[in-house]
Amino acid sequence: MDMVNFGLPNLSGYGFYLSIGAYATVSLIFYYYPNLLHRKKILKEHNFVVVSHRGGSGENKENTISAFEHSERIGTDVIELDCHITKDGQVVVSHDNNLLRLCGVNKLISETNYDELPDLLEEQGDDIFMQKSADSLSRTVSSSLISNSIQRRSQEDCKKPHKIPLLEDIFKNFPNTPINLDVKLNNDNLIQKVSEMVAKYKRENITVWGSFNEKVTKKLFKLNPNVGIYFSSAGCAKLLFLMISGLLPFFRFKETHLEIIMPNRILKK
C-alpha cells in the first residue's frame, strides 16, 4: 500500500531562526495593534477606580446594605458582592455558602430557607482578603475618599443586627451604582435568576459579572452576552499561557474585564 509522507518543512539553519523571528515580529505587531486583527469591543460605560470588595468588608459587615451605603458615602465607584441561593430559591448576597464564619451556625445557605437564615454575628471571622493592615489600605485608597473609620470596623455597625440581604434589595436600593457580581456556585437556578434580575432592573450597562468557575462564566455569557464579564481562574491561566507563548494576539475573548488576586493577599504581606 502506498504511503503519503506529510513531512514538516526543513527549518534547519537560518530558516529556523528566520521562522522564529517572523513569528515573534508578527506576534508583537498584533499585540500592540490588536485592532488590525480583531474588531474593537464595544465597552460599557465603566470607569472603575475604587472598588469596594464585599462593600468594604474592612470597615463594616461584609455584603450588607449598610456596608454598601458606607461605600457610596466615601466615594467608591463600584461595589463588589457575591451571590448564593437559598433552599426556597431566594438569591442572597453572601460570600460563604456555609454560615459558620458569618453567623456562627454550621449550616449551608443552599439547604436553608431564607426566613430561617440567622442574623450575622457582631464580630465576624476574617479571611485572607481581610488580612491587609489599615495602614497599607490607607496607602491604597486616596485619603480624600476615606475617614478615620477606615482604621477599624464601625463600632455602631457591628452592634446592629444584620440579616443576609437579598440581591433584589441591593438592586432596588442602589439602582444606579455599578456592581461587580460574583456568582459563587454552578447552580442553574441561581445563574438563571441572577440573569433575570439583571435584565429586570435594566442593569446590563452597569454590571460586570462572572465566577472563578469557567462553567459558570460560560453559562452567564450564554444567557446575556451584553453584560460585562470577567475571566475565570481557568481563563486567567489560559491568558497567561497565551501571553508567554506569543499566541495572545491571535485569540479573541468573550471576557471584557480581568480580575486577579493580588499576591500580597495570598502571602499575607
Side-chain angles (χ1 to χ4, degrees):
M1 182 173 63
D2 294 335
M3 300 293 291
V4 179
N5 183 12
F6 293 97
L8 293 174
N10 185 6
L11 295 179
S12 61
Y14 289 111
F16 173 78
Y17 295 107
L18 286 173
S19 298
I20 294 297
Y23 167 71
T25 301
V26 172
S27 179
L28 282 172
I29 290 173
F30 287 131
Y31 178 79
Y32 286 104
Y33 302 97
N35 292 333
L36 295 176
L37 191 63
H38 304 291
R39 185 178 60 185
K40 187 174 182 180
K41 285 182 178 290
I42 301 176
L43 299 178
K44 310 300 180 182
E45 296 180 2
H46 299 318
N47 186 24
F48 300 163
V49 178
V50 179
V51 179
S52 290
H53 184 245
R54 305 181 201 171
S57 53
E59 301 95 73
N60 296 278
K61 285 189 175 70
E62 64 183 63
N63 282 323
T64 58
I65 290 179
S66 61
F68 300 142
E69 289 173 341
H70 174 72
S71 296
E72 283 206 326
R73 285 197 299 271
I74 65 173
T76 191
D77 299 299
V78 58
I79 55 178
E80 187 269 351
L81 54 81
D82 312 278
C83 290
H84 282 279
I85 191 165
T86 62
K87 184 179 179 181
D88 55 345
Q90 298 293 317
V91 180
V92 296
V93 179
S94 174
H95 178 271
D96 301 357
N97 188 25
N98 191 300
L99 295 165
L100 185 60
R101 179 178 69 88
L102 299 175
C103 302
V105 179
N106 191 18
K107 297 174 65 176
L108 299 180
I109 289 176
S110 56
E111 297 176 356
T112 308
N113 291 329
Y114 181 71
D115 290 339
E116 298 170 349
L117 291 177
D119 288 342
L120 297 169
L121 292 172
E122 288 188 9
E123 294 293 335
Q124 299 171 351
D126 292 348
D127 62 15
I128 60 172
F129 294 100
M130 294 168 59
Q131 298 294 332
K132 193 78 168 176
S133 68
D135 290 340
S136 297
L137 185 60
S138 65
R139 290 195 297 269
T140 303
V141 184
S142 171
S143 60
S144 64
L145 298 179
I146 58 177
S147 66
N148 291 333
S149 64
I150 202 169
Q151 303 297 328
R152 60 186 183 278
R153 293 189 183 191
S154 170
Q155 296 300 316
E156 293 182 0
D157 182 73
C158 287
K159 294 178 181 179
K160 295 177 182 178
H162 287 78
K163 189 174 180 64
I164 295 175
L166 295 167
L167 178 63
E168 189 162 22
D169 288 340
I170 304 301
F171 285 176
K172 289 178 180 178
N173 281 275
F174 305 91
N176 301 312
T177 302
I179 290 179
N180 184 126
L181 201 157
D182 185 353
V183 180
K184 304 302 291 186
L185 295 179
N186 184 13
N187 179 299
D188 289 342
N189 193 23
L190 169 62
I191 295 168
Q192 181 67 41
K193 288 196 171 187
V194 169
S195 178
E196 289 174 354
M197 269 190 274
V198 169
K200 175 183 176 180
Y201 289 94
K202 297 179 173 56
R203 297 190 57 89
E204 286 94 340
N205 290 332
I206 55 172
T207 299
V208 177
W209 63 10
S211 172
F212 286 139
N213 187 323
E214 177 65 15
K215 292 181 180 179
V216 176
T217 300
K218 289 180 178 179
K219 290 178 181 180
L220 289 169
F221 182 76
K222 184 177 180 180
L223 282 173
N224 195 337
N226 296 318
V227 180
I229 193 165
Y230 61 82
F231 283 87
S232 65
S233 297
C236 288
K238 177 182 177 182
L239 194 68
L240 180 61
F241 170 77
L242 294 175
M243 176 75 176
I244 293 172
S245 66
L247 292 170
L248 181 62
F250 305 104
F251 284 77
R252 183 173 177 82
F253 301 93
K254 65 183 181 299
E255 293 85 357
T256 56
H257 293 73
L258 178 63
E259 298 180 10
I260 299 177
I261 298 174
M262 295 174 63
N264 59 1
R265 297 294 190 181
I266 300 299
L267 299 176
K268 299 182 181 180
K269 292 184 178 181

PDB file of all heavy atoms in Angstrom, residues 188-217:
ATOM      1  N   ASP A 188     -27.762  26.078  38.185  1.00  0.00           N
ATOM      2  CA  ASP A 188     -28.511  26.639  37.053  1.00  0.00           C
ATOM      3  C   ASP A 188     -29.636  27.563  37.507  1.00  0.00           C
ATOM      4  O   ASP A 188     -29.916  28.578  36.855  1.00  0.00           O
ATOM      5  CB  ASP A 188     -29.081  25.519  36.190  1.00  0.00           C
ATOM      6  CG  ASP A 188     -28.001  24.780  35.406  1.00  0.00           C
ATOM      7  OD1 ASP A 188     -26.895  25.336  35.262  1.00  0.00           O
ATOM      8  OD2 ASP A 188     -28.267  23.658  34.941  1.00  0.00           O
ATOM      9  N   ASN A 189     -30.284  27.241  38.609  1.00  0.00           N
ATOM     10  CA  ASN A 189     -31.368  28.087  39.120  1.00  0.00           C
ATOM     11  C   ASN A 189     -30.815  29.437  39.581  1.00  0.00           C
ATOM     12  O   ASN A 189     -31.397  30.490  39.303  1.00  0.00           O
ATOM     13  CB  ASN A 189     -32.071  27.386  40.271  1.00  0.00           C
ATOM     14  CG  ASN A 189     -33.388  28.044  40.650  1.00  0.00           C
ATOM     15  OD1 ASN A 189     -34.009  28.735  39.847  1.00  0.00           O
ATOM     16  ND2 ASN A 189     -33.815  27.841  41.893  1.00  0.00           N
ATOM     17  N   LEU A 190     -29.692  29.408  40.274  1.00  0.00           N
ATOM     18  CA  LEU A 190     -29.042  30.640  40.722  1.00  0.00           C
ATOM     19  C   LEU A 190     -28.624  31.494  39.525  1.00  0.00           C
ATOM     20  O   LEU A 190     -28.907  32.704  39.478  1.00  0.00           O
ATOM     21  CB  LEU A 190     -27.812  30.301  41.571  1.00  0.00           C
ATOM     22  CG  LEU A 190     -26.859  31.444  41.923  1.00  0.00           C
ATOM     23  CD1 LEU A 190     -27.565  32.504  42.752  1.00  0.00           C
ATOM     24  CD2 LEU A 190     -25.639  30.906  42.668  1.00  0.00           C
ATOM     25  N   ILE A 191     -27.978  30.890  38.558  1.00  0.00           N
ATOM     26  CA  ILE A 191     -27.494  31.622  37.385  1.00  0.00           C
ATOM     27  C   ILE A 191     -28.657  32.235  36.608  1.00  0.00           C
ATOM     28  O   ILE A 191     -28.602  33.401  36.190  1.00  0.00           O
ATOM     29  CB  ILE A 191     -26.674  30.677  36.487  1.00  0.00           C
ATOM     30  CG1 ILE A 191     -25.401  30.232  37.217  1.00  0.00           C
ATOM     31  CG2 ILE A 191     -26.323  31.346  35.163  1.00  0.00           C
ATOM     32  CD1 ILE A 191     -24.665  29.095  36.553  1.00  0.00           C
ATOM     33  N   GLN A 192     -29.729  31.465  36.433  1.00  0.00           N
ATOM     34  CA  GLN A 192     -30.898  31.954  35.699  1.00  0.00           C
ATOM     35  C   GLN A 192     -31.558  33.124  36.414  1.00  0.00           C
ATOM     36  O   GLN A 192     -31.898  34.140  35.790  1.00  0.00           O
ATOM     37  CB  GLN A 192     -31.906  30.816  35.523  1.00  0.00           C
ATOM     38  CG  GLN A 192     -33.170  31.193  34.752  1.00  0.00           C
ATOM     39  CD  GLN A 192     -32.901  31.507  33.299  1.00  0.00           C
ATOM     40  OE1 GLN A 192     -32.120  30.833  32.653  1.00  0.00           O
ATOM     41  NE2 GLN A 192     -33.561  32.547  32.781  1.00  0.00           N
ATOM     42  N   LYS A 193     -31.712  33.022  37.735  1.00  0.00           N
ATOM     43  CA  LYS A 193     -32.384  34.086  38.487  1.00  0.00           C
ATOM     44  C   LYS A 193     -31.546  35.363  38.529  1.00  0.00           C
ATOM     45  O   LYS A 193     -32.095  36.473  38.460  1.00  0.00           O
ATOM     46  CB  LYS A 193     -32.699  33.596  39.901  1.00  0.00           C
ATOM     47  CG  LYS A 193     -33.820  32.565  39.936  1.00  0.00           C
ATOM     48  CD  LYS A 193     -34.383  32.371  41.325  1.00  0.00           C
ATOM     49  CE  LYS A 193     -35.631  31.498  41.269  1.00  0.00           C
ATOM     50  NZ  LYS A 193     -36.319  31.397  42.563  1.00  0.00           N
ATOM     51  N   VAL A 194     -30.236  35.224  38.642  1.00  0.00           N
ATOM     52  CA  VAL A 194     -29.381  36.407  38.616  1.00  0.00           C
ATOM     53  C   VAL A 194     -29.505  37.107  37.271  1.00  0.00           C
ATOM     54  O   VAL A 194     -29.646  38.337  37.195  1.00  0.00           O
ATOM     55  CB  VAL A 194     -27.908  36.018  38.888  1.00  0.00           C
ATOM     56  CG1 VAL A 194     -26.983  37.194  38.585  1.00  0.00           C
ATOM     57  CG2 VAL A 194     -27.726  35.574  40.333  1.00  0.00           C
ATOM     58  N   SER A 195     -29.483  36.339  36.192  1.00  0.00           N
ATOM     59  CA  SER A 195     -29.612  36.918  34.849  1.00  0.00           C
ATOM     60  C   SER A 195     -30.955  37.619  34.678  1.00  0.00           C
ATOM     61  O   SER A 195     -31.032  38.716  34.118  1.00  0.00           O
ATOM     62  CB  SER A 195     -29.454  35.811  33.800  1.00  0.00           C
ATOM     63  OG  SER A 195     -29.617  36.323  32.494  1.00  0.00           O
ATOM     64  N   GLU A 196     -32.015  37.002  35.169  1.00  0.00           N
ATOM     65  CA  GLU A 196     -33.348  37.605  35.054  1.00  0.00           C
ATOM     66  C   GLU A 196     -33.432  38.918  35.821  1.00  0.00           C
ATOM     67  O   GLU A 196     -34.037  39.886  35.356  1.00  0.00           O
ATOM     68  CB  GLU A 196     -34.405  36.617  35.567  1.00  0.00           C
ATOM     69  CG  GLU A 196     -34.606  35.415  34.648  1.00  0.00           C
ATOM     70  CD  GLU A 196     -35.545  34.377  35.244  1.00  0.00           C
ATOM     71  OE1 GLU A 196     -35.940  34.551  36.428  1.00  0.00           O
ATOM     72  OE2 GLU A 196     -35.887  33.404  34.551  1.00  0.00           O
ATOM     73  N   MET A 197     -32.812  38.971  37.005  1.00  0.00           N
ATOM     74  CA  MET A 197     -32.858  40.192  37.812  1.00  0.00           C
ATOM     75  C   MET A 197     -32.054  41.320  37.177  1.00  0.00           C
ATOM     76  O   MET A 197     -32.462  42.482  37.211  1.00  0.00           O
ATOM     77  CB  MET A 197     -32.373  39.906  39.228  1.00  0.00           C
ATOM     78  CG  MET A 197     -33.488  39.522  40.171  1.00  0.00           C
ATOM     79  SD  MET A 197     -32.963  39.469  41.895  1.00  0.00           S
ATOM     80  CE  MET A 197     -32.329  37.811  41.968  1.00  0.00           C
ATOM     81  N   VAL A 198     -30.903  40.983  36.605  1.00  0.00           N
ATOM     82  CA  VAL A 198     -30.091  41.995  35.927  1.00  0.00           C
ATOM     83  C   VAL A 198     -30.887  42.607  34.783  1.00  0.00           C
ATOM     84  O   VAL A 198     -30.880  43.833  34.578  1.00  0.00           O
ATOM     85  CB  VAL A 198     -28.772  41.385  35.418  1.00  0.00           C
ATOM     86  CG1 VAL A 198     -28.057  42.357  34.477  1.00  0.00           C
ATOM     87  CG2 VAL A 198     -27.859  41.030  36.584  1.00  0.00           C
ATOM     88  N   ALA A 199     -31.608  41.769  34.038  1.00  0.00           N
ATOM     89  CA  ALA A 199     -32.420  42.262  32.931  1.00  0.00           C
ATOM     90  C   ALA A 199     -33.637  43.040  33.436  1.00  0.00           C
ATOM     91  O   ALA A 199     -33.990  44.094  32.896  1.00  0.00           O
ATOM     92  CB  ALA A 199     -32.867  41.088  32.053  1.00  0.00           C
ATOM     93  N   LYS A 200     -34.272  42.536  34.490  1.00  0.00           N
ATOM     94  CA  LYS A 200     -35.471  43.180  35.041  1.00  0.00           C
ATOM     95  C   LYS A 200     -35.185  44.597  35.496  1.00  0.00           C
ATOM     96  O   LYS A 200     -35.991  45.516  35.256  1.00  0.00           O
ATOM     97  CB  LYS A 200     -35.998  42.350  36.211  1.00  0.00           C
ATOM     98  CG  LYS A 200     -37.185  42.982  36.934  1.00  0.00           C
ATOM     99  CD  LYS A 200     -37.611  42.134  38.131  1.00  0.00           C
ATOM    100  CE  LYS A 200     -38.731  42.788  38.917  1.00  0.00           C
ATOM    101  NZ  LYS A 200     -39.150  41.958  40.095  1.00  0.00           N
ATOM    102  N   TYR A 201     -34.050  44.807  36.136  1.00  0.00           N
ATOM    103  CA  TYR A 201     -33.718  46.134  36.652  1.00  0.00           C
ATOM    104  C   TYR A 201     -32.825  46.931  35.690  1.00  0.00           C
ATOM    105  O   TYR A 201     -32.268  47.950  36.081  1.00  0.00           O
ATOM    106  CB  TYR A 201     -33.052  45.992  38.023  1.00  0.00           C
ATOM    107  CG  TYR A 201     -34.025  45.560  39.091  1.00  0.00           C
ATOM    108  CD1 TYR A 201     -34.183  44.213  39.412  1.00  0.00           C
ATOM    109  CD2 TYR A 201     -34.830  46.487  39.753  1.00  0.00           C
ATOM    110  CE1 TYR A 201     -35.099  43.801  40.372  1.00  0.00           C
ATOM    111  CE2 TYR A 201     -35.747  46.085  40.709  1.00  0.00           C
ATOM    112  CZ  TYR A 201     -35.878  44.745  41.019  1.00  0.00           C
ATOM    113  OH  TYR A 201     -36.788  44.343  41.965  1.00  0.00           O
ATOM    114  N   LYS A 202     -32.734  46.433  34.461  1.00  0.00           N
ATOM    115  CA  LYS A 202     -32.026  47.141  33.383  1.00  0.00           C
ATOM    116  C   LYS A 202     -30.612  47.546  33.812  1.00  0.00           C
ATOM    117  O   LYS A 202     -30.210  48.714  33.699  1.00  0.00           O
ATOM    118  CB  LYS A 202     -32.836  48.369  32.942  1.00  0.00           C
ATOM    119  CG  LYS A 202     -34.191  48.019  32.349  1.00  0.00           C
ATOM    120  CD  LYS A 202     -34.973  49.258  31.947  1.00  0.00           C
ATOM    121  CE  LYS A 202     -36.251  48.896  31.198  1.00  0.00           C
ATOM    122  NZ  LYS A 202     -37.137  47.994  31.941  1.00  0.00           N
ATOM    123  N   ARG A 203     -29.859  46.566  34.272  1.00  0.00           N
ATOM    124  CA  ARG A 203     -28.529  46.819  34.811  1.00  0.00           C
ATOM    125  C   ARG A 203     -27.399  46.316  33.889  1.00  0.00           C
ATOM    126  O   ARG A 203     -26.251  46.233  34.317  1.00  0.00           O
ATOM    127  CB  ARG A 203     -28.382  46.160  36.179  1.00  0.00           C
ATOM    128  CG  ARG A 203     -29.327  46.692  37.247  1.00  0.00           C
ATOM    129  CD  ARG A 203     -28.925  46.146  38.602  1.00  0.00           C
ATOM    130  NE  ARG A 203     -27.552  46.481  38.909  1.00  0.00           N
ATOM    131  CZ  ARG A 203     -27.162  47.592  39.520  1.00  0.00           C
ATOM    132  NH1 ARG A 203     -28.055  48.493  39.904  1.00  0.00           N
ATOM    133  NH2 ARG A 203     -25.890  47.813  39.761  1.00  0.00           N
ATOM    134  N   GLU A 204     -27.719  45.975  32.641  1.00  0.00           N
ATOM    135  CA  GLU A 204     -26.692  45.412  31.763  1.00  0.00           C
ATOM    136  C   GLU A 204     -25.480  46.322  31.602  1.00  0.00           C
ATOM    137  O   GLU A 204     -24.342  45.850  31.525  1.00  0.00           O
ATOM    138  CB  GLU A 204     -27.284  45.104  30.370  1.00  0.00           C
ATOM    139  CG  GLU A 204     -28.181  43.877  30.336  1.00  0.00           C
ATOM    140  CD  GLU A 204     -29.642  44.236  30.523  1.00  0.00           C
ATOM    141  OE1 GLU A 204     -29.923  45.342  31.040  1.00  0.00           O
ATOM    142  OE2 GLU A 204     -30.500  43.396  30.162  1.00  0.00           O
ATOM    143  N   ASN A 205     -25.728  47.634  31.563  1.00  0.00           N
ATOM    144  CA  ASN A 205     -24.633  48.581  31.313  1.00  0.00           C
ATOM    145  C   ASN A 205     -23.844  48.961  32.568  1.00  0.00           C
ATOM    146  O   ASN A 205     -22.802  49.606  32.464  1.00  0.00           O
ATOM    147  CB  ASN A 205     -25.176  49.854  30.664  1.00  0.00           C
ATOM    148  CG  ASN A 205     -25.640  49.617  29.241  1.00  0.00           C
ATOM    149  OD1 ASN A 205     -25.131  48.728  28.560  1.00  0.00           O
ATOM    150  ND2 ASN A 205     -26.611  50.385  28.791  1.00  0.00           N
ATOM    151  N   ILE A 206     -24.348  48.572  33.741  1.00  0.00           N
ATOM    152  CA  ILE A 206     -23.632  48.921  34.977  1.00  0.00           C
ATOM    153  C   ILE A 206     -23.349  47.678  35.822  1.00  0.00           C
ATOM    154  O   ILE A 206     -23.210  47.762  37.039  1.00  0.00           O
ATOM    155  CB  ILE A 206     -24.402  49.972  35.806  1.00  0.00           C
ATOM    156  CG1 ILE A 206     -25.834  49.507  36.092  1.00  0.00           C
ATOM    157  CG2 ILE A 206     -24.400  51.322  35.116  1.00  0.00           C
ATOM    158  CD1 ILE A 206     -26.576  50.428  37.065  1.00  0.00           C
ATOM    159  N   THR A 207     -23.275  46.532  35.157  1.00  0.00           N
ATOM    160  CA  THR A 207     -22.965  45.285  35.850  1.00  0.00           C
ATOM    161  C   THR A 207     -21.815  44.570  35.159  1.00  0.00           C
ATOM    162  O   THR A 207     -21.757  44.519  33.928  1.00  0.00           O
ATOM    163  CB  THR A 207     -24.195  44.346  35.890  1.00  0.00           C
ATOM    164  OG1 THR A 207     -25.254  44.983  36.604  1.00  0.00           O
ATOM    165  CG2 THR A 207     -23.851  43.024  36.554  1.00  0.00           C
ATOM    166  N   VAL A 208     -20.907  44.056  35.967  1.00  0.00           N
ATOM    167  CA  VAL A 208     -19.886  43.121  35.497  1.00  0.00           C
ATOM    168  C   VAL A 208     -20.054  41.868  36.342  1.00  0.00           C
ATOM    169  O   VAL A 208     -20.049  41.946  37.568  1.00  0.00           O
ATOM    170  CB  VAL A 208     -18.460  43.687  35.657  1.00  0.00           C
ATOM    171  CG1 VAL A 208     -17.425  42.645  35.236  1.00  0.00           C
ATOM    172  CG2 VAL A 208     -18.292  44.954  34.842  1.00  0.00           C
ATOM    173  N   TRP A 209     -20.224  40.731  35.688  1.00  0.00           N
ATOM    174  CA  TRP A 209     -20.424  39.505  36.447  1.00  0.00           C
ATOM    175  C   TRP A 209     -19.453  38.430  36.014  1.00  0.00           C
ATOM    176  O   TRP A 209     -18.695  38.607  35.065  1.00  0.00           O
ATOM    177  CB  TRP A 209     -21.872  39.026  36.357  1.00  0.00           C
ATOM    178  CG  TRP A 209     -22.354  38.640  34.966  1.00  0.00           C
ATOM    179  CD1 TRP A 209     -21.598  38.494  33.828  1.00  0.00           C
ATOM    180  CD2 TRP A 209     -23.703  38.348  34.584  1.00  0.00           C
ATOM    181  NE1 TRP A 209     -22.381  38.125  32.765  1.00  0.00           N
ATOM    182  CE2 TRP A 209     -23.680  38.027  33.196  1.00  0.00           C
ATOM    183  CE3 TRP A 209     -24.905  38.296  35.254  1.00  0.00           C
ATOM    184  CZ2 TRP A 209     -24.825  37.680  32.489  1.00  0.00           C
ATOM    185  CZ3 TRP A 209     -26.040  37.953  34.536  1.00  0.00           C
ATOM    186  CH2 TRP A 209     -26.004  37.662  33.182  1.00  0.00           C
ATOM    187  N   GLY A 210     -19.485  37.330  36.734  1.00  0.00           N
ATOM    188  CA  GLY A 210     -18.597  36.231  36.411  1.00  0.00           C
ATOM    189  C   GLY A 210     -18.430  35.305  37.593  1.00  0.00           C
ATOM    190  O   GLY A 210     -19.182  35.356  38.576  1.00  0.00           O
ATOM    191  N   SER A 211     -17.419  34.456  37.495  1.00  0.00           N
ATOM    192  CA  SER A 211     -17.128  33.482  38.540  1.00  0.00           C
ATOM    193  C   SER A 211     -15.715  32.957  38.305  1.00  0.00           C
ATOM    194  O   SER A 211     -15.200  32.990  37.185  1.00  0.00           O
ATOM    195  CB  SER A 211     -18.139  32.329  38.494  1.00  0.00           C
ATOM    196  OG  SER A 211     -17.779  31.288  39.374  1.00  0.00           O
ATOM    197  N   PHE A 212     -15.089  32.452  39.354  1.00  0.00           N
ATOM    198  CA  PHE A 212     -13.804  31.777  39.173  1.00  0.00           C
ATOM    199  C   PHE A 212     -14.007  30.432  38.485  1.00  0.00           C
ATOM    200  O   PHE A 212     -13.054  29.834  37.992  1.00  0.00           O
ATOM    201  CB  PHE A 212     -13.113  31.587  40.520  1.00  0.00           C
ATOM    202  CG  PHE A 212     -12.548  32.861  41.083  1.00  0.00           C
ATOM    203  CD1 PHE A 212     -12.660  33.149  42.430  1.00  0.00           C
ATOM    204  CD2 PHE A 212     -11.898  33.769  40.261  1.00  0.00           C
ATOM    205  CE1 PHE A 212     -12.138  34.324  42.944  1.00  0.00           C
ATOM    206  CE2 PHE A 212     -11.386  34.943  40.760  1.00  0.00           C
ATOM    207  CZ  PHE A 212     -11.498  35.231  42.109  1.00  0.00           C
ATOM    208  N   ASN A 213     -15.238  29.946  38.446  1.00  0.00           N
ATOM    209  CA  ASN A 213     -15.585  28.688  37.790  1.00  0.00           C
ATOM    210  C   ASN A 213     -15.893  28.966  36.315  1.00  0.00           C
ATOM    211  O   ASN A 213     -16.826  29.698  35.989  1.00  0.00           O
ATOM    212  CB  ASN A 213     -16.796  28.061  38.487  1.00  0.00           C
ATOM    213  CG  ASN A 213     -17.118  26.678  37.987  1.00  0.00           C
ATOM    214  OD1 ASN A 213     -16.997  26.374  36.801  1.00  0.00           O
ATOM    215  ND2 ASN A 213     -17.555  25.805  38.885  1.00  0.00           N
ATOM    216  N   GLU A 214     -15.129  28.355  35.418  1.00  0.00           N
ATOM    217  CA  GLU A 214     -15.294  28.601  33.985  1.00  0.00           C
ATOM    218  C   GLU A 214     -16.669  28.162  33.486  1.00  0.00           C
ATOM    219  O   GLU A 214     -17.249  28.803  32.591  1.00  0.00           O
ATOM    220  CB  GLU A 214     -14.193  27.883  33.204  1.00  0.00           C
ATOM    221  CG  GLU A 214     -14.285  27.994  31.694  1.00  0.00           C
ATOM    222  CD  GLU A 214     -14.099  29.410  31.155  1.00  0.00           C
ATOM    223  OE1 GLU A 214     -13.605  30.279  31.922  1.00  0.00           O
ATOM    224  OE2 GLU A 214     -14.439  29.654  29.986  1.00  0.00           O
ATOM    225  N   LYS A 215     -17.223  27.094  34.050  1.00  0.00           N
ATOM    226  CA  LYS A 215     -18.542  26.633  33.620  1.00  0.00           C
ATOM    227  C   LYS A 215     -19.610  27.679  33.913  1.00  0.00           C
ATOM    228  O   LYS A 215     -20.510  27.907  33.099  1.00  0.00           O
ATOM    229  CB  LYS A 215     -18.889  25.311  34.313  1.00  0.00           C
ATOM    230  CG  LYS A 215     -18.028  24.131  33.865  1.00  0.00           C
ATOM    231  CD  LYS A 215     -18.445  22.857  34.586  1.00  0.00           C
ATOM    232  CE  LYS A 215     -17.586  21.672  34.125  1.00  0.00           C
ATOM    233  NZ  LYS A 215     -17.957  20.414  34.827  1.00  0.00           N
ATOM    234  N   VAL A 216     -19.506  28.329  35.065  1.00  0.00           N
ATOM    235  CA  VAL A 216     -20.458  29.380  35.416  1.00  0.00           C
ATOM    236  C   VAL A 216     -20.293  30.574  34.477  1.00  0.00           C
ATOM    237  O   VAL A 216     -21.278  31.152  34.006  1.00  0.00           O
ATOM    238  CB  VAL A 216     -20.257  29.819  36.886  1.00  0.00           C
ATOM    239  CG1 VAL A 216     -21.180  30.992  37.219  1.00  0.00           C
ATOM    240  CG2 VAL A 216     -20.527  28.655  37.835  1.00  0.00           C
ATOM    241  N   THR A 217     -19.053  30.927  34.205  1.00  0.00           N
ATOM    242  CA  THR A 217     -18.776  32.054  33.307  1.00  0.00           C
ATOM    243  C   THR A 217     -19.400  31.832  31.933  1.00  0.00           C
ATOM    244  O   THR A 217     -20.014  32.744  31.365  1.00  0.00           O
ATOM    245  CB  THR A 217     -17.253  32.246  33.164  1.00  0.00           C
ATOM    246  OG1 THR A 217     -16.683  32.504  34.446  1.00  0.00           O
ATOM    247  CG2 THR A 217     -16.940  33.414  32.246  1.00  0.00           C
TER     248      THR A 217
END
